[in-house]
Structure formats: C-alpha cells, structure tokens
Amino acid sequence: MRVREIWNLITLRRRTTSVIQTVDHARAIAKKKIPKAVWDFIDGGAGDEQAIAANRHSLNDVVFQPKYLVDVSKPDTSLTIFGTPVSHPLVLSPSGLATLAHPDGEIAVARAAQGAGAIFCLSTGSGNSIEEVGEQSQGRLWFQLYLWKSQDVISSLIQRAQTSGYEALIVTVDVPVVGKRERDLRNGMSLPVTIRPGQYWHYLSRPRWVSGIVKNPAITFGNLTDIASGDDASSIGQYVNNELNDPSKTWDDLKRIRSQWGGPLLVKGIMHPDDAKTAESIGVDGIIVSNHGGRQFSSVPGIATVFPHIRDAVSDKVEVFFDGGIRRGEDIVKAHALGATAACSGRCWFWGLAANGEQGVTDVLEILNQETKDTLSLVGQRNLRDVGAHNLYRS
Ligand SMILES: Cc1cc2nc3c(=O)[nH]c(=O)nc-3n(C[C@H](O)[C@H](O)[C@H](O)COP(=O)(O)O)c2cc1C
C-alpha cells in the first residue's frame, strides 16, 4: 500500500474516484483520501469506542418479518416532519468542521442535501458560517446549538440562525464535558491543526487534500470568528476549549432557549426516559435519541436498544429521531419500525464529503434513498409512514 502511495506521489498520478456503491464504500474511499488525523477525527469515538460498536450491534439485532404479494411498485420514502413534507428519509446530523474533510465543507453538504430534498443540520462548530451556508443553499436547514457558558453567545447564535432562515433549532445536551477521544489526543488533533514530526507522511501521502487546504481559507470555526477574542484559528480553538463546556447547565437553560426560539425546538443527546419526559414538559417539539455517535463516552447502550424506551416515555406530540449507527437503507426502515419520525446520521455524509465533495454526499444520499425504497418493498410496505413494530420479528 505504502509503495503505491509513494508511486502516486512521485508521478502525481490523479487517482480516479471509484463510483460509490455503499456508505461503507464511501468510508473506504474517504480513508484513502484524507490524512490519518482527520480520518480518526471523523471515524473515532470516546474511550474504548464500545458505543460506536453498540450502535451497530443494536441495529443488527433488529430484524424484519417480511410480507409478500403486496403492490410495492412505488415505494415512497418521503416523510412529514413538524407538519412539513420532506422528500429524503435521512436527516443529516450536525457534525462540526466539515472543512477538514473537504475544502467545500458544509456548503457542499447543504447543496447536496438540497438536491436530495433532505434536511441538513448545521453544527455550531461548522467550518462555514451560519450565514455562508444560508446564502449558498436554498435547501431545508436546521441549526444546532451547544450550551455555551455565555448566555450572550447563545442569544447571538439563535438570532443569527433566525435571521438566516434556519427552520428548527437543536440543542445538544450531552456535552457537559468533552468526551475523551483518544485517537484525537494521540494525533494531537486540535485547532489550529498542527502537524507533529511523526505525521509528515500522513499528510504528504494525501497531496490532493493538502492542495485543497492550501487553496482555501484556514480551517476554523466559521461561526465563532467574531465572538472569540481573535479571528485566528489558535484564538478560536482556545475560545472553544474555555467556553464550550459548562457543566453547570440545567433544564432551566433549555427553558430559557424555549422562550427565545419560536420555531421547532429539538433536544439532542437524550438517552434516559426521565429526560425525555422533562424535555416534553418544557415544550420541546422533538427529541433526538443519540449518544453523539459514540463520541462522548463508551459505556452506553446502542440507540436501537434505548429508542423504544424514549419513544414510550413521551406523547405522540413529540417527534422522536433516531441518531447513531445508521449506515444503510435497512437501518432507516428499522428506525421507523421502532417508532422514529426520521433517522439521522453524521458519519454517512461526512464520509461522502471526504470521498468526493458535494458529489460524494449526493451519491451517499441517493444510495440510502434507493436502499430504503428496496427495503420497503422487501418488507412489504409502500411507505415509511406505515412501517411499525408489526414489521419486526419478535422471537
Ligand atoms: C466528525 C463529527 C463531528 C460531530 N460534531 C457534532 C457537533 O458539532 N454537534 C453535535 O451535536 N453532534 C456532533 N456530532 C455527532 C452527530 O451529530 C451524530 O450524533 C452522530 O454522528 C451520529 O452517529 P453516526 O455518525 O453513527 O451516524 C459529530 C459527529 C461526527 C462524526
């Protein structure tokens, strides 16, 4: 492998992008295109990374009970979310610093989502700003907020999202402290991106990634350049480290945000039925059942294990989203069978972006949509709305 990489480097051979066939294939292509530290940032999780595996195992344990000789000639993967129609079955979860994976960053992702008719959630920690993404895409956008120490920062980010036309606000609550992502610690992955002597090869062997980064602005948190004390990556990185985590935040902070945001409000990172009930009592419209893709801590259950308990804890007025481990159309249909309003994923689109920019995300979304249609047909359902527990095999 290394010999081939050296040869490619010497001959500056343009590597052709294979046509993406599955999400896992996008992941494999991405791995070859980005430096190891960036790969580990996307792929990795906290601690022993058991939660990443648990997300997959819990989905694998859910199996269908198919029914045949139903007219499934026109499988319909569209959804209704908060009363509005959505034509693609995946919600693109908020995931920061897409500009690390590809210089076109979140703008490319938002455009691909728009083309597919999917909702894209922009992270507070995005490379491109709220305004840039809002201006450069006409698609459906939601904004994700962390519970910053400063109430003024929270208010200003909410105001900016409102002004730029974001339809819904997601408050991520599962980061009272930042998860210990050991791959990132080993790689020295931080802002500004610094390259350690032992890592030169990781970057030299990815010349196209390096040239993309050289041509485009420095990798930074696009939403925070005006907020941090300086607009260089180092000041912003420092700012995020100091200001992001406030372990003293409580449900009162969510109540305050509820009073500030008139549109649909979602809370992301719910893993306990009691928290789901509290969120409903505060008036949230949606709950995202999530363990942050296994990026916060290791010893938590997979989402398919927890999901039914959360769904049962709240009334039908609350829309409940499934976030973690989705890799195939089958997983999307499983999420619906467990009672989800929609399935969400961060890594699926991140890998598509790293594999081939906007086109890579488009490919991933097309694959997931087609796989979802095929699964509906195989299960014997015409649309996602009618999928339910009756489609699952219970031993
Ligand atoms: C590279 C990366 C960055 C992420 N950044 C954020 C973030 O800024 N805010 C947030 O709420 N979740 C973030 N997440 C978590 C995702 O929103 C989502 O919960 C997770 O990706 C779901 O698991 P999956 O990747 O298996 O689909 C991030 C995930 C990844 C992979």
Side-chain angles (χ1 to χ4, degrees), residues 93-96 123 144 146 172 268 290 292-293 323 325 327 345-347:
S93 305
S95 305
S123 159
Q144 175 264 328
Y146 278 120
T172 298
K268 176 170 182 283
S290 174
H292 216 108
D323 177 78
R327 301 289 177 264
S345 175
R347 290 189 182 85

Side-chain angles (χ1 to χ4, degrees), residues 38 40-44 52 55-56 90 92-98 100 121-126 144-146 170-175 181 221 268-269 288-295 303 322-327 344-351:
V38 176
D40 283 340
F41 167 71
I42 301 167
D43 201 61
I52 298 179
N55 283 346
R56 286 301 311 149
L90 188 80
L92 284 71
S93 305
S95 305
L97 281 181
L100 264 180
C121 310
L122 186 77
S123 159
T124 303
S126 53
Q144 175 264 328
L145 182 75
Y146 278 120
I170 299 171
V171 180
T172 298
V173 294
D174 59 5
V175 190
R181 292 205 303 274
F221 293 113
K268 176 170 182 283
I288 305 181
V289 184
S290 174
N291 56 24
H292 216 108
R295 295 168 76 80
I303 298 308
F322 187 113
D323 177 78
I326 298 284
R327 301 289 177 264
C344 315
S345 175
R347 290 189 182 85
C348 287
W349 67 254
F350 229 114
W351 289 325

Side-chain angles (χ1 to χ4, degrees), residues 154-284:
I154 291 180
S155 301
S156 139
L157 288 166
I158 291 177
Q159 185 57 52
R160 287 169 63 188
Q162 246 156 7
T163 308
S164 292
Y166 287 68
E167 293 172 35
L169 183 71
I170 299 171
V171 180
T172 298
V173 294
D174 59 5
V175 190
V177 294
V178 174
K180 192 175 177 192
R181 292 205 303 274
E182 293 171 16
R183 297 199 219 177
D184 290 351
L185 293 174
R186 278 195 297 276
N187 293 329
M189 188 64 187
S190 62
L191 263 193
V193 174
T194 38
I195 304 177
R196 293 179 172 177
Q199 297 173 329
Y200 290 147
W201 175 252
H202 298 161
Y203 289 85
L204 284 172
S205 62
R206 304 290 186 268
R208 289 173 82 184
W209 182 89
V210 172
S211 74
I213 293 305
V214 169
K215 279 189 227 138
N216 282 284
I219 294 169
T220 188
F221 293 113
N223 292 323
L224 306 174
T225 48
D226 294 341
I227 297 171
S229 52
D231 64 2
D232 60 296
S234 173
S235 319
I236 295 172
Q238 180 105 39
Y239 175 83
V240 171
N241 286 340
N242 293 338
E243 297 296 312
L244 172 60
N245 307 114
D246 184 352
S248 70
K249 295 285 182 195
T250 67
W251 290 101
D252 287 340
D253 295 278
L254 195 71
K255 276 186 201 156
R256 197 173 303 119
I257 292 171
R258 176 67 288 183
S259 68
Q260 288 178 285
W261 178 265
L265 177 70
L266 297 95
V267 58
K268 176 170 182 283
I270 296 295
M271 291 289 282
H272 196 299
D274 292 352
D275 282 355
K277 285 181 186 152
T278 309
E280 179 169 21
S281 73
I282 285 172
V284 305

